[in-house]
Amino acid sequence: WQYVAAAAVVVQMCTPTFVLDSFDGHIVLYFNLFKQFSALGYAMALTRDKCAPLVSRAWPVMIPLLIFCAPSTNFFVAGVPTYPWLPRLLDRYQYTAGSFLCTFVVDRVGRVFAAHGVTRPLPRGVNTGTLLSFVFHPTFIVAWVLLVPEGRHVHPFLLTLVMVLLFVLLVRGLLERGD
């Protein structure tokens, strides 16, 4: 059912022709897609033991699918740079379907590694710290820009690294205090 849910989201979100040139109802509907990604990820986590492998049993099928759904190497400004709204229907289908395919591939690879005992537990505080970084990153970025005079000129990678480290260390400190 996970594949059916992903296909339904792709059709639901890629078929309409939105014009995303301002912050209005269209962009709110567009960002609904990313809520659907989160909901599907949650459902995948809950039904992990109930969902049998489908495509991974014939994994070579995935290679042409991933190639077909890979984004173009040409940069194209469309909508928001991190979540482009591409003007052509086929491009939207390819980009969004490729995003879901990558999610399924990473999930299956993680399951296979876990089943073979290859994975190791995360260090204490990393799991919750990175989750908090994801949830509170807009607040952190606004506070960073307001509190650090030259904060706007920091490279995004460095800012992300600082944010994640701060949240991980905060959670780790709270966990050690509780012990």
Side-chain angles (χ1 to χ4, degrees), residues 123-151:
R124 206 166 172 187
V126 171
N127 193 6
T128 306
T130 53
L131 174 64
L132 290 174
S133 298
F134 172 73
V135 171
F136 294 111
H137 77 274
T139 307
F140 179 85
I141 292 169
V142 169
W144 177 270
V145 169
L146 292 175
L147 298 174
V148 179
E150 294 298 317

Side-chain angles (χ1 to χ4, degrees), residues 75-99:
F75 181 72
F76 179 74
V77 177
V80 182
T82 52
Y83 309 114
W85 180 258
L86 302 168
R88 292 192 301 264
L89 182 68
L90 181 61
D91 292 339
R92 290 194 302 266
Y93 269 92
Q94 286 179 302
Y95 185 88
T96 308
S99 299

Side-chain angles (χ1 to χ4, degrees), residues 16-123:
T17 303
F18 294 121
V19 178
L20 299 176
D21 55 2
S22 65
F23 196 84
D24 59 4
H26 289 142
I27 203 162
V28 173
L29 286 174
Y30 174 61
F31 281 119
N32 182 52
L33 170 67
F34 308 106
K35 178 191 71 79
Q36 300 293 28
F37 264 115
S38 298
L40 183 62
Y42 184 69
M44 288 169 69
L46 288 180
T47 60
R48 179 162 288 178
D49 299 329
K50 298 176 187 176
C51 185
L54 182 65
V55 178
S56 60
R57 292 189 184 268
W59 65 267
V61 172
M62 242 1 224
I63 294 172
L65 283 173
L66 286 169
I67 291 170
F68 178 74
C69 293
S72 168
T73 57
N74 295 327
F75 181 72
F76 179 74
V77 177
V80 182
T82 52
Y83 309 114
W85 180 258
L86 302 168
R88 292 192 301 264
L89 182 68
L90 181 61
D91 292 339
R92 290 194 302 266
Y93 269 92
Q94 286 179 302
Y95 185 88
T96 308
S99 299
F100 277 109
L101 285 173
C102 288
T103 302
F104 285 124
V105 167
V106 169
D107 181 64
R108 179 53 60 191
V109 168
R111 289 184 199 193
V112 168
F113 282 4
H116 287 88
V118 176
T119 58
R120 298 178 47 102
L122 289 171

